[in-house]
Amino acid sequence: MVTGDNSQVVPTENVCVAEEPRILCVIRDMIDPNAAGSRQTINLPASSSIGDVIDEISKSTRYIASSINIKYNKHVAAEMEEISLYTCANQKLSDICMLGTRRHEFTVVEKEDTLPQKLSEIPPAPDPPSYDSVASTSSSYISGSTATNDTVSTYPDSGYTYASIMLKSETGYVGLVNQAMTCYLNSLIQTLYMTPEFRNALYRWEFDGSEDEAFKSIPYQLQKLFLQLQTSKKRAVETTELTRSFGWDSSEVWQQHDVQELCRVMFDALESKWRNTDQANLINHLYQGKMKDYVKCLECKNESARVDAYLDIPLVIRPFGSQTTYVSVEEAIDAFVHPEILNDTNQYFCEKCNKNVMPIRDLNLRRSPTS
Ligand SMILES: [Zn+2]
């Protein structure tokens, strides 16, 4: 597909975060060892940061993370070494645990100078969470002693904690904040992000302009957003810098734009940056298909056809006048290519019959993208 640089930042095979190696962690609460639930197990991805592990253990044991110490009991041969998680918060779980060992034991113990505190059961109603104010840097999140962990509390009647709302979803994927009416933009970005060939291509491109140009560069802002989607510890990230690069002010995010038009604007910006590079043809390669649009005379079967290239096809969700929606993309595509008999107002002059006729119009998808 793309020649030259073969480095694949994102595997092009189907990759699911859930399929990565996981580590079975046994948590023992040594502060209250006889309490119900003093021994629990959690199954975490091997790539979890120790900061994530601290947060998970805090949630499952209901202790405020900064008020306890958590130790990993590392068995090497007949020796056991205790490692405090707070001393290696910047590492990954797989750095301290040996993969292949069936289970790993963590103990929750008292801190020398602090009394262990439980997360409050009936907290005051919290302020609405702000996506900017919490966990904005990895260090404040990892340290376990900042507002992020101290203010973990339960929303009344919901069972949700701040942590479960603010921190990355257990699926490993990061969401996009809806600025106002930008859900169509978010769907488009997530779709492009989940196309490994597209994501790799965007990562391979290097921005070489000034700071001022970076502000207005759609490809640069999209690249930055993809990186956030891949590495952020937040549950969702903002799209404001990207929409600013479109030249939109805040009133425009309140307008419903056309997703098809937006997709073209983005593809045009990328194509102009990728011109004369080995990625010049990437958008067409990934997304362009061809369709034959033809009109056929029902009397003599003579047809007049034209082949058009497309980058997207508009599919109907609920046919005009119908109460029910199509149930699948396949069904909507079937409807899209279903021949229609044109009515009186669309009469067409058949040269063979030498008269106006009522034709049948049909679309035929000649080539689907990447085939
Ligand atoms: Zn005819």
Side-chain angles (χ1 to χ4, degrees), residues 23-211:
I23 290 179
L24 187 66
C25 306
V26 179
I27 321 295
R28 285 177 193 278
D29 178 359
M30 305 307 278
I31 298 170
D32 195 2
N34 297 318
S38 65
R39 184 184 175 281
Q40 300 184 42
T41 52
I42 45 178
N43 195 4
L44 296 173
S47 66
S48 306
S49 72
I50 298 297
D52 285 337
V53 177
I54 292 172
D55 183 61
E56 287 300 328
I57 294 176
S58 158
K59 270 194 282 182
S60 67
T61 58
R62 314 269 318 135
Y63 286 107
I64 292 175
S66 59
S67 73
I68 50 167
N69 198 357
I70 304 170
K71 291 182 172 175
Y72 171 62
N73 303 329
K74 186 168 194 165
H75 295 270
V76 182
E79 303 275 324
M80 192 191 79
E81 185 193 349
E82 280 190 338
I83 303 171
S84 167
L85 297 195
Y86 294 90
T87 61
C88 51
N90 293 322
Q91 293 184 5
K92 285 187 179 345
L93 187 55
S94 56
D95 293 333
I96 65 163
C97 296
M98 274 194 301
L99 286 174
T101 308
R102 213 169 59 83
R103 60 188 198 139
H104 298 266
E105 200 176 80
F106 294 79
T107 48
V108 174
V109 293
E110 284 189 36
K111 251 180 162 176
E112 270 176 27
D113 51 356
T114 315
L115 276 179
Q117 277 179 285
K118 285 275 184 176
L119 302 170
S120 52
E121 300 296 336
I122 310 161
D127 291 325
S130 152
Y131 285 101
D132 290 324
S133 62
V134 180
S136 56
T137 66
S138 56
S139 60
S140 71
Y141 159 65
I142 284 169
S143 72
S145 60
T146 61
T148 312
N149 282 320
D150 288 344
T151 56
V152 169
S153 55
T154 310
Y155 278 104
D157 307 324
S158 69
Y160 287 119
T161 60
Y162 262 143
S164 71
I165 289 170
M166 301 313 301
L167 299 179
K168 195 166 183 170
S169 149
E170 52 284 357
T171 61
Y173 296 115
V174 174
L176 292 165
V177 177
N178 189 354
Q179 287 186 53
M181 291 177 70
T182 57
C183 49
Y184 66 98
L185 166 73
N186 293 358
S187 322
L188 175 63
I189 292 169
Q190 293 283 18
T191 308
L192 297 176
Y193 175 77
M194 291 305 286
T195 306
E197 292 86 352
F198 183 86
R199 199 187 331 166
N200 279 319
L202 193 59
Y203 285 164
R204 271 197 290 270
W205 171 74
E206 218 174 302
F207 178 71
D208 59 358
S210 68
E211 217 170 288

Side-chain angles (χ1 to χ4, degrees), residues 297-302 350-353 357:
C297 170
L298 282 174
E299 289 176 34
C300 69
K301 312 291 180 211
N302 186 37
C350 176
E351 287 175 1
K352 223 168 169 182
C353 302
V357 291

